[in-house]
Amino acid sequence: MSEIDMAVIKPEMMKPYVWLQTSDDSIQQVEQEIAMFCPLICQEIIQKGMGSSKNCAICLPQQVSPAMLSLILDYCRFHQVPGRSNKERKSYDEKFVRIDTERLCELTSAADSLQLKPLVDLTSRALARIIEGKSPEEIRDIFHLPDDLTEEEKLEPLRNITADPRIRLLNRLYAKKRKELKERERILKLKKSMWMNVQLMTFCLLLMEMKENFVAEPKGVKTSKNKKKNRRKKEQQKNSSSKETSELDKKEVNGHDIRHQSSEAERISESSYLHYAEDGTSTPKSDDGDIYDGIDPALKEKIDREVEDFARRLNSDWPERMQELLSSGQDRKTLLFNTDGFLRRHA
Amino acid sequence: MKTETEPKESESDWGELTRECLINILSRLSVRDRWRGTMLVCKSWFSAFKEPSLHSVFDLDSQFDSLPELTRWWTLEFEAKIDCMLLSVVEWAQSSLTQIRIRHCSDRSLALVAQRCPNLEVLSIRSCPRVTDDSISRIALSCPKLRELDISYCYEITHESLVLIGKNCPNLKVLKRNLMNWLDPSQHQGIVPDEYLNACPQDGESEAAAIADSMPGLEWLEIRFSKLSAKGINTICEGCPNLEFLDLSGCANLTSRDIVSASSSLVHLKEIKKPNFYIPRSVFHTERYGHWRLYDERFQTDIFRI
């Protein structure tokens, strides 16, 4: 700056306005009295003589956007008036911080960069009140923070706990136990769904069997419909079998140690595949209502009752059935392991 | 002078809090909120959490006080957790740790405290069955600024530690060495392990002597339910002339007369708590010597009883 500039600026320090440049590079005019409330601006004006014109506008820190600047100036405008009572100031402050959390954080950073301590304290207190009593998930939600701590980092405060050999042993035992329990649960779940499939399969087969038996009695009465029914039965078989096998396939991929148990189920699915292979002309349409076509209502009820009976028996025989399934080519050890938990669960 | 934002891994336009602001906010939260809520939020918050200035005071007493005494506090598992917390705090505080108010820790964590906290001023470790003379002597040697010590209900600490502390910590003003209520242990039974209740130190005399000998600057003394006798209280009052507060509740071996005569020499004494009951001798002797009461009544020998 040349001497002449300095001479011009000095009397202009008494000017009522200063020029401030915010983070988006826009420049605005602000009453000097109010802006001086911020220590940083004060310093810039007095020590460096900036802000007197548009050309030498005071460059505010990056955290101060125009919106934040206007908020801060509102605050300064209110508080720099000396005649206000403490009560007035307090109630103004309380209303002032009733903004959404995002803006509150921005405001804190902006006030901090301008070294406006009273406002920093006010906003920090408000944010602390928001954080109080919340869990980490809730805090992450409110402040839009990423969940970027690794499991190892999360355990850092607890790592000292393993220095004691007793505790280390305890931890190891607990970890083993937990793993065992998880494994057991997973296997049980798989077996259960496995068994449900098998049950469904046998149930469908039985149903078809019964239909066959029944249809066979009044011979020659509705032969065309028989053909239709056969086709539909095969469709049923095909649908259920394809469903079963796809699910079975999934299960097989998941756990090779349950392949033994699935052997019986495989045999069943294979048999139904054979049926499907014989009848190549079936359309993939299943129509449950058509099964009952042409059957007397009374007989229909009889069949229903028998089917229900069978289903009930199946359910009650579950544990024994499981044993049967498992006994085909099984380790004694795993059998005990499996059925122990299994029986305990379903006893 | 412009404050630069620290480089953050997520450069969002969202206007993140700077580290300084975050630390300012964390400092306004209670210990509980800080540990349970903000510690494991995300990387930047965890890093701000570990700021040494936030850990200069580690006070769990308020947490303990807000609950009735629980049985599980006396388990090894709980003790390990407390140890673990204290160890973490000591590391994060990086020698700026000045106050520790916890319970149920053990030698393990106190050894590190002795090593890393030369600026320790307040150590309150009540109810720590597994803190021994070993740790306390270490702390005595490495924390000369100690001014407040509370080792109530720590039965493994003996009068030897008291001597060492007194000799090495000239600033010691507050000593709390309370014992559990052995006259009527019903308030502790079921929660505190019985063996521990029974292991109550019996040597009130040597502890009193240790205090009197080595802690001349003591101003605040609590020795509830101590078994010291009149001689003990006399030595204390002679050795610690600056006492302002003296708590002798439950010291059943002291009579009112003993206390009054001993404490008359304490010029700065502001408050004294006397054993707030009077146990007539006849209560102790009812079962065995009940028949002597008759004798007393007939021959009026009770005028010789104090």
Side-chain angles (χ1 to χ4, degrees):
Chain A
M1 272 188 193
S2 71
E3 283 248 306
I4 305 163
D5 286 324
M6 289 289 285
V8 168
I9 282 170
K10 271 204 192 114
E12 286 186 331
M13 260 172 64
M14 300 314 293
K15 240 176 143 179
Y17 288 97
V18 289
W19 297 85
L20 304 173
Q21 183 177 18
T22 50
S23 57
D24 61 344
D25 291 335
S26 70
I27 302 178
Q28 45 178 289
Q29 225 179 8
V30 173
E31 299 100 306
Q32 181 161 322
E33 216 179 13
I34 294 171
M36 293 276 272
F37 212 64
C38 302
L40 184 78
I41 297 177
C42 202
Q43 217 170 16
E44 291 279 307
I45 294 175
I46 294 178
Q47 281 185 7
K48 300 189 193 166
M50 302 276 283
S52 52
S53 75
K54 231 180 182 176
N55 298 335
C56 55
I58 299 173
C59 221
L60 296 177
Q62 220 215 346
Q63 291 93 325
V64 188
S65 67
M68 289 302 116
L69 183 61
S70 84
L71 272 176
I72 291 175
L73 291 174
D74 285 341
Y75 181 84
C76 296
R77 198 169 292 126
F78 183 89
H79 279 280
Q80 61 98 13
V81 175
R84 302 207 198 267
S85 70
N86 280 339
K87 209 172 168 191
E88 275 183 346
R89 290 183 197 266
K90 216 175 161 192
S91 75
Y92 176 86
D93 283 348
E94 272 168 37
K95 277 197 221 114
F96 191 72
V97 287
R98 269 194 228 144
I99 54 181
D100 58 285
T101 316
E102 193 178 320
R103 281 167 32 114
L104 204 52
C105 286
E106 264 194 83
L107 188 57
T108 312
S109 298
D112 183 59
S113 67
L114 292 175
Q115 299 165 12
L116 191 53
K117 191 164 181 330
L119 186 54
V120 176
D121 284 340
L122 176 65
T123 48
S124 303
R125 246 182 291 141
L127 282 168
R129 271 200 298 264
I130 293 175
I131 294 173
E132 241 166 43
K134 300 239 165 49
S135 72
E137 294 81 34
E138 287 167 344
I139 294 177
R140 256 179 256 137
D141 213 22
I142 295 173
F143 288 83
H144 307 291
L145 295 163
D147 186 4
D148 58 359
L149 283 169
T150 64
E151 284 307 312
E152 213 182 309
E153 284 170 330
K154 282 190 192 166
L155 289 174
E156 191 192 313
L158 292 174
R159 75 180 135 80
N160 296 311
I161 210 169
T162 54
D164 188 339
R166 289 175 299 187
I167 305 293
R168 229 184 293 156
L169 181 65
L170 253 168
N171 279 344
R172 250 186 280 140
L173 288 171
Y174 282 145
K176 217 200 302 186
K177 190 87 192 174
R178 247 178 282 141
K179 230 183 8 181
E180 248 179 57
L181 283 167
K182 262 200 207 138
E183 193 59 38
R184 225 182 269 191
E185 260 182 45
R186 193 175 58 87
I187 290 177
L188 281 171
K189 239 189 256 172
L190 285 170
K191 269 195 260 172
K192 190 170 176 182
S193 57
M194 209 46 204
W195 175 241
M196 299 277 258
N197 294 338
V198 168
Q199 206 178 342
L200 194 66
M201 181 72 82
T202 47
F203 174 63
C204 288
L205 286 174
L206 176 79
L207 195 66
M208 271 149 239
E209 216 184 280
M210 301 194 90
K211 301 297 175 280
E212 294 264 13
N213 287 339
F214 177 70
V215 169
E217 279 171 20
K219 274 204 167 118
V221 165
K222 284 145 192 174
T223 47
S224 58
K225 284 215 169 144
N226 283 353
K227 283 210 193 115
K228 226 208 277 178
K229 259 181 234 95
N230 275 338
R231 215 178 296 142
R232 287 218 193 82
K233 274 178 228 142
K234 297 221 173 103
E235 283 166 19
Q236 286 281 330
Q237 269 182 318
K238 192 201 110 191
N239 285 335
S240 47
S241 75
S242 59
K243 194 172 65 161
E244 300 320 316
T245 44
S246 61
E247 288 186 57
L248 283 172
D249 282 339
K250 266 189 250 155
K251 301 295 176 291
E252 272 176 77
V253 165
N254 279 345
H256 60 85
D257 55 337
I258 52 169
R259 201 156 270 163
H260 298 293
Q261 292 105 50
S262 68
S263 57
E264 172 106 359
E266 273 177 308
R267 268 181 259 133
I268 296 170
S269 62
E270 275 168 18
S271 58
S272 52
Y273 252 119
L274 288 172
H275 283 276
Y276 173 58
E278 282 172 13
D279 183 359
T281 59
S282 54
T283 49
K285 205 179 23 146
S286 97
D287 228 343
D288 272 329
D290 278 315
I291 294 176
Y292 295 100
D293 240 38
I295 304 174
D296 229 15
L299 281 161
K300 168 181 162 189
E301 278 175 26
K302 181 170 168 236
I303 291 170
D304 284 351
R305 258 182 283 125
E306 292 200 34
V307 161
E308 271 172 34
D309 240 324
F310 182 74
R312 231 181 297 125
R313 264 193 293 131
L314 266 184
N315 281 329
S316 61
D317 285 340
W318 197 347
E320 287 91 305
R321 293 242 154 210
M322 226 33 219
Q323 283 266 18
E324 279 176 66
L325 263 182
L326 297 170
S327 60
S328 49
Q330 259 285 352
D331 256 0
R332 215 143 160 81
K333 189 175 169 198
T334 37
L335 171 74
L336 283 173
F337 170 84
N338 291 330
T339 50
D340 256 2
F342 201 74
L343 285 170
R344 238 184 284 132
R345 255 187 88 162
H346 299 284
Chain B
M1 206 167 36
K2 294 183 194 146
T3 45
E4 302 284 339
T5 49
E6 296 204 348
K8 301 264 186 214
E9 64 280 3
S10 51
E11 228 29 279
S12 65
D13 296 324
W14 191 70
E16 265 179 28
L17 289 166
T18 58
R19 194 189 152 94
E20 292 80 24
C21 291
L22 195 50
I23 292 169
N24 187 342
I25 295 170
L26 290 179
S27 67
R28 294 166 196 271
L29 296 169
S30 68
V31 165
R32 183 190 166 89
D33 281 325
R34 246 186 288 144
W35 279 71
R36 296 193 86 170
T38 65
M39 181 168 73
L40 295 177
V41 168
C42 67
K43 273 196 179 28
S44 47
W45 281 48
F46 195 10
S47 150
F49 173 86
K50 289 192 248 186
E51 174 75 19
S53 62
L54 289 175
H55 296 283
S56 58
V57 171
F58 186 46
D59 183 350
L60 293 183
D61 250 354
S62 48
Q63 299 294 310
F64 280 113
D65 281 335
S66 64
L67 295 164
E69 180 124 15
L70 296 174
T71 321
R72 73 177 180 94
W73 291 351
W74 293 88
T75 58
L76 277 173
E77 226 183 9
F78 187 77
E79 188 182 275
K81 283 194 200 154
I82 296 282
D83 269 342
C84 176
M85 282 175 79
L86 183 56
L87 286 168
S88 298
V89 169
V90 167
E91 280 188 32
W92 294 330
Q94 291 175 22
S95 84
S96 69
L97 191 53
T98 54
Q99 281 195 34
I100 298 177
R101 292 185 197 271
I102 59 176
R103 298 184 204 176
H104 300 285
C105 67
S106 78
D107 274 343
R108 208 158 61 88
S109 44
L110 283 185
L112 194 67
V113 168
Q115 247 184 23
R116 305 273 202 94
C117 307
N119 296 318
L120 193 65
E121 293 176 18
V122 171
L123 182 63
S124 170
I125 42 167
R126 290 193 230 167
S127 306
C128 298
R130 274 162 281 274
V131 170
T132 61
D133 283 336
D134 190 48
S135 322
I136 303 294
S137 51
R138 275 191 232 212
I139 288 187
L141 295 170
S142 4
C143 306
K145 296 192 192 171
L146 202 63
R147 58 177 166 80
E148 182 177 329
L149 180 65
D150 185 343
I151 44 172
S152 304
Y153 322 124
C154 297
Y155 290 173
E156 294 295 312
I157 303 177
T158 68
H159 62 275
E160 290 171 12
S161 296
L162 292 175
V163 171
L164 275 171
I165 291 264
K167 293 232 164 81
N168 291 293
C169 306
N171 291 343
L172 194 72
K173 298 273 184 288
V174 176
L175 178 66
K176 302 187 191 174
R177 186 11 180 202
N178 301 317
L179 304 178
M180 296 207 191
N181 188 344
W182 48 267
L183 291 166
D184 177 18
S186 56
Q187 73 184 99
H188 301 298
Q189 258 159 8
I191 300 169
V192 182
D194 284 334
E195 334 65 87
Y196 195 67
L197 280 177
N198 296 335
C200 188
Q202 309 289 314
D203 60 347
E205 292 303 319
S206 33
E207 287 191 8
I211 295 171
D213 280 339
S214 53
M215 299 178 187
L218 205 62
E219 291 172 10
W220 182 292
L221 181 61
E222 286 182 25
I223 38 171
R224 285 188 228 147
F225 292 100
S226 169
K227 301 208 172 166
L228 84 172
S229 65
K231 182 164 164 245
I233 189 69
N234 277 328
T235 41
I236 287 182
C237 292
E238 277 165 33
C240 310
N242 296 332
L243 274 178
E244 295 177 15
F245 178 90
L246 186 55
D247 190 346
L248 300 167
S249 315
C251 298
N253 296 335
L254 298 176
T255 64
S256 270
R257 193 185 285 188
D258 297 331
I259 296 171
V260 167
S261 67
S263 58
S264 57
S265 60
L266 298 171
V267 287
H268 301 287
L269 195 63
K270 295 191 183 129
E271 194 182 337
I272 183 164
K273 290 206 174 141
K274 301 186 191 167
N276 57 355
F277 46 75
Y278 168 64
I279 303 176
R281 297 258 166 88
S282 57
V283 169
F284 287 132
H285 298 306
T286 314
E287 306 307 272
R288 280 181 80 188
Y289 303 112
H291 60 284
W292 283 104
R293 232 182 302 141
L294 285 166
Y295 183 81
D296 281 337
E297 276 165 20
R298 270 190 74 188
F299 296 100
Q300 291 183 329
T301 49
D302 51 348
I303 58 171
F304 299 114
R305 222 184 282 145
I306 301 169

